[in-house]
């Protein structure tokens, strides 16, 4: 249906549609969509009558095809009865964008039918609260996308770290400060073009430690590709970043972007976990230096990674925005 793959060159075309939009999930950001569009998740767009439609395609399921042996990775004509496990892409839309406008369930249903899609993903729960639920449920089946809710924080909380609930964070930062910062072993810098190569080298080290490439379709592998796209296109996609050098080497970096007038998104955060307190120091420095002008900070979802969920919860979010899928009845 004449959808075009999103690319870095499309950022300025897409950006105006995201200005002032009413959706809360971090996926409704042109920089994020472009960065995450890669091999296992591909994003496409179409502009029609002043509305932006974003489609996604994700390799999410397997079927057995006749004519090829199981688990084959080579072309094979095969004989009768042979089978092959084959990835089946799941296609979906996200909510359309058009100058701060909300769309009714009937409109969403009509757009999906006309364009040949069976479902919407990444539908924020606060958007659903604005709808007539009887109309919605007459047209769609509703299902929560667990593991993909966004964590929202007060930026001031992450800067000040006040109270008993942040005592562990402060203690870890103090330990890092004593061991590294006060001994002149640390430099905190904005990420500039000249720093990208050093950040990419550290990303490779981080990914080796966390087995990012063990499964090329895993969330960590997809995130690695997204980080590479972000680092290589910092200015073009309007990312802001901070890096930390310990003993002269990049040992941590954080990257984020403006989401709307009151909220920023902290998209990527990597640190050497062997340096005690570095993650907490990085998080605090980014809140102070990159996001201080925003009331809220969206630290995205935990991508179904339990350890990441625990870390995000430990910073005491003030809100969690759930994500839902709508499937046409």
């Amino acid at each position: 249906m004449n959808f075009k793959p999103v690319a870095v060159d499309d950022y300025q075309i897409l950006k105006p549609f995201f200005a002032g939009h009413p959706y809360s999930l971090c996926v409704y950001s042109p920089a994020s969509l472009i960065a995450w569009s890669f091999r296992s998740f591909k994003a496409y767009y179409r502009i029609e009558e002043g509305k932006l439609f974003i489609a996604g395609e994700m390799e999410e399921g397997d079927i057995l095809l006749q004519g090829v042996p199981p688990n084959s990775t080579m072309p094979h004509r095969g004989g009768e009865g042979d089978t092959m496990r084959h990835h089946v892409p799941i296609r979906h839309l996200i909510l359309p964008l058009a100058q701060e406008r909300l769309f009714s369930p009937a409109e969403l249903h009509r757009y999906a039918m006309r364009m040949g899609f069976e479902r919407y993903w990444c539908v924020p729960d606060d958007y659903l609260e604005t709808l007539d639920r009887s109309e919605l449920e007459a047209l769609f089946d509703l299902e929560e996308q667990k593991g993909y809710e966004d964590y929202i924080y007060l930026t001031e909380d992450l800067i000040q770290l006040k109270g008993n609930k942040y005592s562990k964070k402060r203690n870890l930062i103090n330990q890092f400060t004593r061991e590294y910062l006060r001994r002149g072993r640390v430099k905190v810098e904005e990420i500039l073009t000249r720093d990208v190569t050093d950040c990419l080298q550290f990303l490779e080290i981080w990914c080796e430690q966390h087995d990012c490439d063990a499964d090329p379709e895993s969330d960590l592998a997809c995130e690695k590709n997204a980080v590479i796209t972000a680092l290589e296109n910092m200015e073009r996609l309007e990312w802001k970043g901070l890096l930390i050098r310990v003993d002269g080497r990049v040992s941590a970096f954080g990257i984020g972007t403006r989401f709307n007038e009151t909220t920023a998104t902290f998209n990527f955060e990597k640190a050497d976990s062997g340096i005690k307190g570095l993650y907490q120091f990085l998080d605090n420095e980014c809140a102070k230096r990159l996001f201080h002008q925003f009331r809220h900070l969206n630290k995205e979802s935990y991508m179904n990674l339990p350890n990441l969920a625990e870390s995000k919860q430990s910073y005491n979010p003030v809100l969690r925005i759930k994500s839902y899928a709508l499937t046409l009845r």
Side-chain angles (χ1 to χ4, degrees), residues 19 113 130 286 289 307:
M113 288 285 290
T130 70
C286 286
R289 298 177 186 235
N307 291 340

Side-chain angles (χ1 to χ4, degrees), residues 127-191:
Y127 162 75
L128 295 176
E129 292 172 0
T130 70
L131 302 179
D132 179 341
R133 293 300 287 263
S134 61
E135 180 186 8
L136 179 73
E137 292 169 3
L139 296 171
F140 296 96
D141 290 322
L142 179 67
E143 182 180 3
E144 182 182 346
Q145 295 178 294
K146 294 184 178 180
Y148 289 91
E149 60 184 358
D150 282 3
Y151 287 68
I152 313 296
Y153 306 82
L154 284 173
T155 308
E156 190 65 19
D157 286 347
L158 303 186
I159 292 173
Q160 298 294 335
L161 297 176
K162 291 182 177 180
N164 290 335
K165 62 185 179 182
Y166 291 113
S167 60
K168 290 183 179 179
K169 307 295 183 189
R170 294 196 305 272
N171 288 338
L172 286 165
I173 291 172
N174 289 337
Q175 291 180 56
F176 177 82
T177 299
R178 288 194 301 269
E179 180 64 27
Y180 297 95
L181 194 62
R182 289 179 183 169
R183 298 185 180 189
R185 301 173 64 183
V186 176
K187 285 188 177 180
V188 182
E189 306 169 349
E190 179 185 356
I191 298 177

